[in-house]
Amino acid sequence: MIIYLHGFDSTSPGNHEKILQLQFIDDDVRFINYSTLHPKHDMQHLLKEVNKVIEQSDDEHPIICGVGLGGFWSERIGFLCGIKQVIFNPNLHPDRTMQGRIDRPEEYVDIATKCVEEFRVKNNQRCLVILSREDEIHDNGKTAQELEGYYDIIWDEHQPHKFTKISQHLQAMKAFKES
């Protein structure tokens, strides 16, 4: 089973395309929608929904993946639910990058302080990071610096921030899922 979390734009047609591509790894792909506007509510909702789909599945190696803001949530929710994560161009600091786009970006800071201390140390090697050199939204050099001590990073030379095409990374994802 693959759990897919969308980024800030939940209605992007690219979400459907990514789900179709993910079905080449596992035909059981679950799309979980969340508001993006209320971080504390989103966290509660995502924890509940991800736990529910994990309990419904008999997959011994489920993974959660997301792009952008979905990557932020996938890393945290996956850690808290005990499953591996794959994150594409993650938005690591929505408290800064979402200013003016959501009501309470400061809630992300509150979430970070309530999360397990040094969770990336405890999550070491349980997350695969795929970063685009052509990300027009985030500086992925900084993202790589922040994550490279904990996770393997794959660089993509062509995709933009929303990662329209992920097929070139499916084999790496499948190997990671099954390891």
Side-chain angles (χ1 to χ4, degrees):
M1 175 181 63
I2 299 173
I3 301 163
Y4 177 77
L5 302 183
H6 60 79
F8 184 68
D9 182 4
S10 64
T11 60
S12 169
N15 290 321
H16 180 67
E17 292 298 319
K18 283 187 262 310
I19 289 169
L20 291 175
Q21 292 174 60
L22 289 170
Q23 287 176 333
F24 282 102
I25 298 174
D26 191 317
D27 59 357
D28 186 7
V29 179
R30 313 280 179 103
F31 178 82
I32 297 181
N33 195 18
Y34 60 102
S35 79
T36 73
L37 299 177
H38 306 290
K40 284 185 181 177
H41 176 267
D42 289 344
M43 185 161 186
Q44 277 184 317
H45 171 73
L46 287 168
L47 277 169
K48 183 178 118 194
E49 292 301 311
V50 169
N51 271 319
K52 184 166 63 175
V53 296
I54 290 170
E55 287 174 9
Q56 292 171 347
S57 174
D58 59 356
D59 188 338
E60 293 181 21
H61 304 285
I63 60 171
I64 187 169
C65 71
V67 178
L69 186 60
F72 169 88
W73 285 118
S74 293
E75 183 190 18
R76 279 157 183 79
I77 301 297
F79 168 73
L80 293 170
C81 292
I83 62 173
K84 289 182 175 180
Q85 315 98 50
V86 178
I87 57 178
F88 292 85
N89 291 338
N91 181 350
L92 296 182
H93 301 285
D95 54 305
R96 292 184 228 146
T97 59
M98 304 301 283
Q99 293 284 336
R101 298 178 86 184
I102 64 173
D103 290 339
R104 300 176 216 92
E106 69 279 358
E107 287 184 5
Y108 286 108
V109 176
D110 193 42
I111 288 166
T113 61
K114 287 183 171 50
C115 209
V116 176
E117 228 177 278
E118 296 183 30
F119 85 96
R120 287 189 177 127
V121 172
K122 295 171 180 153
N123 198 41
N124 193 31
Q125 297 305 308
R126 295 195 42 84
C127 182
L128 178 64
V129 182
I130 304 174
L131 300 175
S132 173
R133 294 197 195 277
E134 300 298 322
D135 188 330
E136 70 282 8
I137 305 291
H138 300 294
D139 179 348
N140 279 337
K142 289 181 181 176
T143 301
Q145 286 176 341
E146 193 168 334
L147 299 177
E148 65 192 353
Y150 309 102
Y151 312 135
D152 289 337
I153 295 175
I154 296 173
W155 284 97
D156 185 285
E157 302 298 327
H158 306 289
Q159 292 301 301
H161 176 72
K162 288 188 177 186
F163 247 99
T164 324
K165 183 179 170 226
I166 62 171
S167 57
Q168 66 276 26
H169 302 292
L170 293 177
Q171 288 307 312
M173 291 175 67
K174 183 176 182 174
F176 178 73
K177 179 183 186 309
E178 294 172 356
S179 67

